[in-house]
Each structure stands twice: as structure tokens, then as C-alpha cells.
Amino acid sequence: MRRIVLAFALVLAGLARAAAPAPETLDGTEWKVRNKSFKAKIVFWHFDHISFRDGLFESRDWKAKGFAPASFVAAKPSESVTWTASLASPDQGKLVWEGRREGARMEGTWTWRRPNGKSKTMPWSAKQVFHR
């Protein structure tokens, strides 16, 4: 009986370890993002939510504006993970996100290149969202 209980406990521990993303990866994580702008300081309750799932990056706010989820590229040069993703919209242009993850915090910029040639760059910071 002890062997069965021990084997079951080891299987559960292995599944829990396999389900949790490794610290150097982004896939399977969600983040609460705040733009670093004057408007964001005034409208302090607004956050975007971004996620990395199955190799795709998605921004909830930008998806509502017509930007489809897109693949992302991540690299781990040292203690931090750097990544980039390019979202596209047929009507709104191109949106390039770049970030650097350090533990449960992240920061970076997004640059929106509109079809008319104008662009806007915004710095942002984020905290990882843990679901219970």
C-alpha cells in the first residue's frame, strides 16, 4: 500500500512540475500591463492584460481594436527573458511589442505604426497574474 501511495505522490509531483512554466519561459503566463503615460497616471484603474499561450502573444485591449494574436520570439541571455511580438491589423497597421521579464515583473515598449505612416511608442510595466 505504501508503494502505491508513494508512486501516486511522485506522479502528482511530476505533473505539477510539468504544468508550471519554467521561470525562463513566457508560454502559459498572463500579465497585467500599465502604460507609462500621463493619461495612465490620471486614469489609474485601467490595465491591459497580455498573455502568452501556445506560442501566441495576445493583448486584450489591442485585440478589441482589431489586432490579431501573433507568435512571439523569446531569448534568455542572462537572468532576464527578452521577447518581441508583431501584431497586425488590416485597418490599424502594425503593433510591435518588446519586453524584458525578470521574475514576476516585466517592462518594455510597444510601437504602433499606423497605415498613414505615423507612429507612437509607449513604455509600459507589468506584473504577472497568478490564478488560484
Side-chain angles (χ1 to χ4, degrees):
M1 181 68 174
R2 282 185 178 165
R3 288 182 184 173
I4 294 172
V5 172
L6 179 61
F8 185 69
L10 289 173
V11 168
L12 286 178
L15 290 174
R17 208 175 314 126
E24 66 273 0
T25 66
L26 292 169
D27 211 29
T29 63
E30 295 182 36
W31 302 81
K32 188 175 178 181
V33 176
R34 176 181 292 262
N35 289 333
K36 292 182 178 180
S37 68
F38 179 73
K39 181 180 175 184
K41 290 177 183 173
I42 293 173
V43 187
F44 59 89
W45 62 85
H46 180 76
F47 292 94
D48 188 4
H49 287 82
I50 60 173
S51 63
F52 300 86
R53 282 199 178 34
D54 301 322
L56 294 177
F57 168 81
E58 180 179 296
S59 163
R60 185 173 64 187
D61 284 359
W62 290 98
K63 185 177 181 181
K65 295 176 184 176
F67 288 87
S71 60
F72 65 93
V73 177
K76 185 178 185 305
S78 60
E79 293 301 313
S80 64
V81 178
T82 57
W83 61 273
T84 185
S86 296
L87 309 177
S89 166
D91 303 331
Q92 301 293 325
K94 182 178 179 180
L95 184 67
V96 178
W97 284 74
E98 297 176 63
R100 186 178 75 247
R101 173 187 183 172
E102 292 184 9
R105 299 219 179 249
M106 194 183 308
E107 63 180 21
T109 60
W110 55 254
T111 302
W112 179 17
R113 292 182 184 95
R114 298 179 183 140
N116 65 7
K118 293 183 180 180
S119 67
K120 177 180 181 179
T121 299
M122 178 67 62
W124 53 267
S125 63
K127 294 179 185 177
Q128 188 170 2
V129 176
F130 297 98
H131 296 283
R132 294 178 191 197

